[in-house]
Amino acid sequence: MPHTIEKDFSYTFHTKTTNSTLNVPITVPMHNDSKEFVARLTQVHNLPCFVHQDLESKLDGFVSKETSQLYDKNANEAVEKVRNGEIDVNDLVKQWLPAYCQELKMYAKPHQLSNDERFAEVYHKLIHSPALETLLNLEHEYSLGVERVTKERDRDLQHLQDKQRADMDEALKSVGSVYKDEDINLLAQKQFENTQIVEGKWTSELRTLHEQQKVEYREWVFQVHEDSQGKAPLPPYVQRLRSLSSVLPDADVEERQAHVSRLEESFTIHLGAQMKTTHNLRLLCTDVLDLCRHKPHTIGGLVIPQPQRLQTAMSLYSNNLCGLVLLADNRLNSYTGIKQKFAQICDSSTDFHFPTLDHQFQVIEEQLPKAADVKAKKKGSSDEVDQLSLHSSTSSSSDEKEKVGEKKLHSGDFYLTKHSNLSEVHVVFHVVTDDNLRTSDITSRHPVILSIRNIIKLCFRYDIHTLTVPLLLTHEMSEEMTISWCMKRAELMFKCVKGFMIEMATYSSQESRTIQFLVPRGLSEELFHQISNMIPTIFRLSNPLVVKSN
């Protein structure tokens, strides 16, 4: 069945001296505008201007008639194919039923919220209700339970390591007389297997505790929401849990004067030429994991929920999320380095809203081949030519290496994880870096800086209003980071982030954002103030206008 067909259109018009006929082929149905088509015909065939209206009317009638005949012919042929058995009726029903259910609202099934969506709505209502203190106290009790298991695990592993170290030292002293080299290797292998068994045992126990707490917490939240519906007072058990916070003793003098070990400077800036937007900048000098770790908060010797947990919980399902850029290597795991410390913080309490960190890593690993395909499609024609020549000169073994390499991360790639049990962070952007960031000659086109641009773009798109960025693109101080190196890197990052924010603000709403520039702990106070003094020279600060009156 043809979707289009060509028909000859004939139009005759009269002048005082001659009769003229115009014959042109027309594609039916005609997708162009009839007025535009008539204007083209007039220009090409030098038609007089007085025939425009009549020609357009005749053309519209011709196209309408021929289109209707084409549709009728196609419909009759389709019906005949169904009658003759060329097309199965059941196949047609399978095609039309999803189309009607997905395109027409009157036939679509009503949207049913999933269990996670229902829990998100209920939690958001309760966290903005008098049950707020109860929720926080319950989360705090659960975190203390996880902390007890974690301490037992650490003690057990430390005892095992001490025992294995003593056994190995004793065996090494007796090498040659009692033990042989093979015996030492067998002992080391046995100790490694025992360590794996103990770690697996505690990992399983901790995972079971997380799952149990998550199920109990969600059931409790649904129960409280049902009991507190309407104008009835809160249930008695909720009031009893709330009263726990009112009987806490007064804080000691040392607790009131808690020392905050981080340097901080805040600025209010304007971006844009005509449509100016106001944003907040904050320069911090602290450990990046301090923004994730819940610090112990005590009153009268009793450990209570940290006040920061309140703000994080209330903004969890809101349009004011907090993000953090965490620099990582190209391995998608949490076995070494800062990733291991971050995973330990995530496991120190149960995440009641999102999957565990390991489960999120598994999902990301499954999506890596799709991401590799998207990146391959975006490459230029020159890269495609190079790839074709590479494929033609390699064997099947290289193809296997490329299949394995599809799951490899490169510098500048990033993946994100979602959390509800961290101190000041909801979303963590894990940016892949390498050693060339230690050099001082990187430019604004470096893959890591371009990834920060994409992260800022995501923040503007998905309501992440606070983003913490490592200003020096490192989380630790090192020998090559001299004063000139730090100042040059800070100036580059300030200018790049300013450009990225101006670029994104032109395509987004005029909402205020907060960018926190993080410098590593160990930076001297003098260098911190030098970097802080650089901000007014790059950004336009919001200074108050002082008017003197007589």
Side-chain angles (χ1 to χ4, degrees):
M1 292 179 291
H3 296 286
T4 59
I5 190 173
E6 275 198 358
K7 289 288 186 178
D8 292 330
F9 171 68
S10 178
Y11 175 72
T12 303
F13 60 93
H14 306 280
T15 62
K16 291 183 179 181
T17 57
T18 59
N19 294 332
S20 301
T21 301
L22 174 67
N23 295 313
V24 292
I26 302 294
T27 301
V28 178
M30 189 173 64
H31 300 291
N32 298 330
D33 184 53
S34 58
K35 292 184 179 181
E36 179 182 356
F37 190 73
V38 169
R40 292 180 179 180
L41 290 178
T42 303
Q43 183 178 4
V44 172
H45 297 281
N46 294 324
L47 301 181
C49 60
F50 59 83
V51 303
H52 282 198
Q53 187 173 0
D54 185 53
L55 176 59
E56 182 179 346
S57 176
K58 296 290 180 59
L59 179 64
D60 287 338
F62 174 81
V63 171
S64 176
K65 178 182 177 182
E66 295 296 335
T67 302
S68 178
Q69 291 180 356
L70 176 64
Y71 288 161
D72 291 342
K73 179 181 177 182
N74 291 341
N76 292 331
E77 292 180 357
V79 171
E80 287 298 327
K81 289 183 178 180
V82 174
R83 290 177 177 175
N84 298 334
E86 298 180 19
I87 298 178
D88 190 6
V89 178
N90 295 327
D91 293 338
L92 288 177
V93 173
K94 292 180 181 179
Q95 295 177 7
W96 281 101
L97 185 60
Y100 269 90
C101 294
Q102 296 174 6
E103 300 295 337
L104 299 179
K105 184 177 180 181
M106 59 184 300
Y107 296 105
K109 297 181 180 180
H111 176 66
Q112 296 181 353
L113 296 177
S114 63
N115 191 33
D116 292 338
E117 292 173 336
R118 288 181 58 244
F119 175 73
E121 291 186 357
V122 171
Y123 178 85
H124 186 68
K125 292 179 181 178
L126 289 181
I127 206 69
H128 292 84
S129 71
L132 167 63
E133 297 179 18
T134 309
L135 289 175
L136 295 182
N137 286 331
L138 185 60
E139 291 181 8
H140 179 61
E141 290 296 326
Y142 278 140
S143 65
L144 292 180
V146 175
E147 184 179 355
R148 286 191 292 268
V149 175
T150 304
K151 289 182 178 179
E152 293 177 5
R153 178 198 62 185
D154 295 340
R155 283 196 299 266
D156 193 4
L157 291 175
Q158 186 63 38
H159 176 71
L160 179 62
Q161 291 176 2
D162 294 340
K163 183 177 180 301
Q164 290 179 349
R165 188 180 299 110
D167 294 341
M168 182 60 71
D169 292 341
E170 183 180 355
L172 291 175
K173 293 178 181 178
S174 304
V175 173
S177 59
V178 180
Y179 293 96
K180 299 179 181 179
D181 292 341
E182 294 81 3
D183 297 331
I184 298 296
N185 294 333
L186 292 176
L187 178 61
Q189 181 179 359
K190 183 179 179 181
Q191 289 182 350
F192 177 76
E193 293 176 354
N194 292 336
T195 303
Q196 292 291 321
I197 293 174
V198 174
E199 288 181 350
K201 175 251 185 183
W202 283 108
T203 300
S204 177
E205 184 171 344
L206 196 59
R207 185 183 298 113
T208 303
L209 180 61
H210 284 319
E211 295 176 356
Q212 179 182 357
Q213 288 185 353
K214 191 171 185 178
V215 172
E216 292 178 357
Y217 182 81
R218 291 198 168 202
E219 291 178 353
W220 189 88
V221 167
F222 284 127
Q223 184 64 35
V224 173
H225 181 260
E226 293 178 0
D227 294 342
S228 60
Q229 289 295 316
K231 298 182 179 180
L234 287 176
Y237 61 90
V238 177
Q239 296 178 358
R240 287 196 300 270
L241 284 174
R242 287 187 60 193
S243 64
L244 292 176
S245 59
S246 61
V247 299
L248 290 174
D250 295 332
D252 297 334
V253 177
E254 296 180 356
E255 294 170 345
R256 292 196 191 98
Q257 299 176 352
H259 178 66
V260 179
S261 61
R262 70 183 187 186
L263 300 174
E264 181 176 341
E265 287 284 348
S266 298
F267 304 88
T268 301
I269 64 169
H270 286 313
L271 290 180
Q274 296 179 350
M275 296 293 294
K276 294 183 176 62
T277 57
T278 302
H279 303 280
N280 300 316
L281 298 184
R282 187 176 293 120
L283 182 64
L284 300 175
C285 180
T286 185
D287 187 7
V288 63
L289 296 181
D290 284 346
L291 302 178
C292 306
R293 186 184 295 110
H294 284 287
K295 277 74 70 176
H297 187 70
T298 59
I299 292 182
L302 297 179
V303 181
I304 66 171
Q306 184 194 15
Q308 184 61 40
R309 186 187 287 269
L310 172 64
Q311 179 182 355
T312 305
M314 295 189 67
S315 58
L316 180 59
Y317 295 103
S318 69
N319 297 328
N320 190 15
L321 301 176
C322 299
L324 170 69
V325 175
L326 187 68
L327 305 179
D329 53 34
N330 60 353
R331 294 181 293 274
L332 192 61
N333 55 43
S334 56
Y335 298 146
T336 58
I338 194 171
K339 296 188 299 182
Q340 184 182 26
K341 298 178 181 179
F342 176 74
Q344 292 174 354
I345 295 175
C346 294
D347 292 337
S348 63
S349 60
T350 303
D351 195 324
F352 302 107
H353 303 267
F354 302 111
T356 61
L357 184 64
D358 292 337
H359 185 269
Q360 294 189 54
F361 281 167
Q362 293 177 3
V363 175
I364 294 171
E365 188 174 3
E366 294 174 357
Q367 299 296 324
L368 284 182
K370 296 181 181 179
D373 294 340
V374 173
K375 290 176 63 177
K377 292 179 181 179
K378 289 184 178 180
K379 287 186 177 181
S381 58
S382 59
D383 294 338
E384 294 177 359
V385 172
D386 294 339
Q387 289 179 359
L388 290 175
S389 61
L390 179 64
H391 283 302
S392 61
S393 61
T394 54
S395 59
S396 60
S397 61
S398 63
D399 295 335
E400 295 177 358
K401 292 181 180 179
E402 290 180 1
K403 291 181 180 178
V404 176
E406 289 179 353
K407 293 187 177 182
K408 185 178 180 181
L409 295 169
H410 303 278
S411 178
D413 295 341
F414 70 91
Y415 51 93
L416 62 91
T417 54
K418 299 176 290 184
H419 310 272
S420 66
N421 58 341
L422 302 182
S423 177
E424 304 177 38
V425 178
H426 299 109
V427 181
V428 178
F429 298 93
H430 305 258
V431 179
V432 179
T433 60
D434 50 23
D435 292 336
N436 66 354
L437 279 177
R438 297 180 179 270
T439 61
S440 59
D441 56 350
I442 68 170
T443 64
S444 59
R445 304 302 299 173
H446 192 275
V448 175
I449 296 182
L450 294 179
S451 69
I452 293 179
R453 172 188 177 272
N454 294 328
I455 290 173
I456 294 178
K457 182 178 180 180
L458 290 178
C459 292
F460 272 79
R461 182 178 297 178
Y462 294 106
D463 295 329
I464 301 176
H465 283 197
T466 302
L467 178 65
T468 303
V469 180
L471 180 62
L472 305 180
L473 298 181
T474 180
H475 294 311
E476 295 179 353
M477 298 294 294
S478 56
E479 296 179 355
E480 69 271 4
M481 296 173 61
T482 60
I483 295 178
S484 60
W485 187 96
C486 294
M487 296 296 291
K488 183 178 179 181
R489 178 64 57 85
E491 181 181 5
L492 174 64
M493 286 296 297
F494 282 145
K495 292 181 178 179
C496 290
V497 172
K498 177 184 177 181
F500 299 155
M501 293 184 67
I502 294 176
E503 177 188 1
M504 302 309 164
T506 56
Y507 303 104
S508 181
S509 59
Q510 306 294 323
E511 295 181 355
S512 178
R513 309 278 171 167
T514 300
I515 302 294
Q516 297 187 146
F517 294 104
L518 187 68
V519 293
R521 179 178 293 173
L523 191 76
S524 64
E525 187 173 352
E526 180 183 358
L527 182 55
F528 178 84
H529 290 300
Q530 291 183 17
I531 296 176
S532 176
N533 295 332
M534 190 187 302
I535 294 180
T537 63
I538 297 177
F539 296 90
R540 182 185 303 171
L541 299 186
S542 175
N543 296 322
L545 179 62
V546 179
V547 180
K548 296 182 179 180
S549 61
N550 296 327

